[in-house]
Amino acid sequence: MKITGYRTLSTRHVWNRSIGDVNGHIREAVTEVPIVIVETDAGIEGVGVGSHADLDRLFPALIGEDPRAVTALFDRMTAQVFKSGHAGATYGGLATLDAALWDIKAKAAGEPLWRLLGARDKFVPGYASGLDIALDDEELAVFYAAYAERGYVAGKLKGGLDFETDLRRLGILADAFRGNTSTPGLMIDANESWQVKQAVRYVAALEEHVDLLWVEEPLRRWDAAGHARLSDAVRCAVATGENLTGVDQFRGLFDAGAPDIVQAGAIWGVSHFVRLSFAAAARDLPVSVVGYNANPAVAAAAAAVPNHLTTEVQALDFASGLTVDHEFVDGGIVLGDEPGSGITVDEAAIDAAARGEGWESTAGPHMRPDRAGLRLILDGVER
């Protein structure tokens, strides 16, 4: 079997709510979902979801190759962009091609990807995540109640701007899950918006009232020493890593003893997650997938590695034209038995869904505010 080409599609995820974080939000959000389909001379096509970045520069490493050599081809793609580097947006394109190759490999073997990767159980523990900073309290309660009805026991609040607001809203999350457990799992995500001492004070104050599981991305992603200092100063775990593009970028964090929970963005693909998981396992650290809906294929890898803790589920549906052979029940994700990653594409449905400005909006959380990390007082008022 040989790789002969690829084609790209873009669809839209209609969230039916506002999404965002401390850095900004999109009201009535509609976001773009890039798709890559890798073609072979055997007629088997692989679907990858995530990014279209730098595909033209990466694909020469794959053309004419056997797609089943996924691990070697992952390294071959990184070598293809050796001089300019694979970090940043380039890693997204690389990872999307990687996900498509894993899909081909599993389809060729006639197995679901989770089994091909060595998983014994197709259940993946998960937690609810509303990207919810722009939801009012009633909307917040409705969102998390929907997950509680499916057996979820934990949720993550987007916060970091106002202590009293975050404390009240964490209570709303706890109330939603108390029907399933007497000890709801609560997390808070500050999306890199604090300084070290600011984070220590904020989290310590929350911990006087709430038993937090973790604080996520409290500081800039590269601040290894700061994350280590914070971890020593608070009771909850410090989780970070979703925006690091490549296992090599975790070296400073690992050397500093910084992360208590090692996070990987789903958008960075299957091979990245597997490699990062084993690097973390060598240090007795758990791993967690962030943003599963952006690349559901990574859930198969989560089922297969020895140290997966939980996966972030941001929606109970997918982008228009994408069907995913997964179920959301029993507080997690149940992977299907279809060969491959379980993702199928309906191109006619995608064509019909092309509307909304999505991430082109400058108001969203992808744009870092001028005063992020430089706010003197965190009381919900911009100064």
Side-chain angles (χ1 to χ4, degrees), residues 65-370:
E65 297 289 328
D66 189 323
R68 293 168 292 187
V70 186
T71 301
L73 293 179
F74 184 90
D75 292 326
R76 188 173 172 84
M77 284 190 285
T78 62
Q80 181 73 22
V81 291
F82 166 66
K83 281 294 184 181
S84 60
H86 61 262
T90 299
Y91 204 64
L94 188 155
T96 307
L97 290 168
D98 171 75
L101 297 182
W102 279 111
D103 188 36
I104 292 171
K105 185 178 177 77
K107 286 174 177 174
E111 292 187 334
L113 181 56
W114 60 268
R115 189 175 296 283
L116 181 80
L117 290 169
R120 178 173 175 267
D121 189 342
K122 58 182 179 179
F123 178 76
V124 179
Y127 67 91
S129 178
L131 305 169
D132 49 33
I133 203 161
L135 301 183
D136 63 31
D137 288 3
E138 182 178 352
E139 291 170 327
L140 193 74
V142 169
F143 177 86
Y144 286 100
Y147 281 81
E149 289 173 0
R150 293 171 181 258
Y152 283 71
V153 297
K156 184 172 74 185
L157 183 77
K158 294 290 190 180
L161 275 180
D162 182 79
F163 175 81
E164 294 297 336
T165 297
D166 289 346
L167 183 60
R168 183 185 73 252
R169 288 161 70 83
L170 284 167
I172 293 172
L173 267 66
D175 289 343
F177 296 119
R178 279 204 179 92
N180 297 334
T181 177
S182 60
T183 55
L186 302 176
M187 308 91 142
I188 188 167
D189 188 353
N191 289 99
E192 304 186 46
S193 64
W194 293 329
Q195 302 165 7
V196 178
K197 287 295 187 178
Q198 204 171 38
V200 170
R201 291 169 59 214
Y202 204 101
V203 175
L206 284 175
E207 288 184 323
E208 293 180 9
H209 307 275
V210 180
D211 186 18
L212 288 174
L213 290 179
W214 76 58
V215 57
E216 182 170 323
E217 286 200 312
L219 312 172
R220 295 313 302 268
R221 64 197 70 173
W222 52 76
D223 188 358
H227 281 94
R229 289 170 60 193
L230 176 60
S231 181
D232 287 342
V234 298
R235 294 198 313 271
C236 70
V238 173
T240 193
E242 68 175 277
N243 287 308
L244 299 182
T245 51
V247 178
D248 49 298
Q249 293 192 0
F250 284 80
R251 185 174 299 168
L253 292 173
F254 286 146
D255 289 348
D260 299 307
I261 296 169
V262 179
Q263 293 184 307
I267 197 171
W268 309 131
V270 174
S271 292
H272 169 77
F273 180 74
V274 171
R275 293 182 179 197
L276 180 61
S277 296
F278 285 116
R283 297 163 172 84
D284 295 313
L285 294 171
V287 291
S288 179
V289 177
V290 177
Y292 148 87
N293 296 80
N295 181 12
V298 178
V305 300
N307 54 335
H308 172 257
L309 181 64
T310 186
T311 284
E312 178 185 37
V313 180
Q314 298 171 336
L316 299 173
D317 60 359
F318 296 94
S320 301
L322 288 184
T323 301
V324 182
D325 186 26
H326 295 172
E327 291 184 84
F328 303 103
V329 294
D330 300 329
I333 306 161
V334 178
L335 308 178
D337 292 319
E338 293 182 7
S341 62
I343 303 172
T344 56
V345 177
D346 181 338
E347 296 191 33
I350 289 174
D351 288 341
R355 59 184 178 84
E357 64 176 337
W359 293 115
E360 294 176 8
S361 168
T362 58
H366 51 300
M367 304 292 289
R368 186 170 170 84
D370 291 340

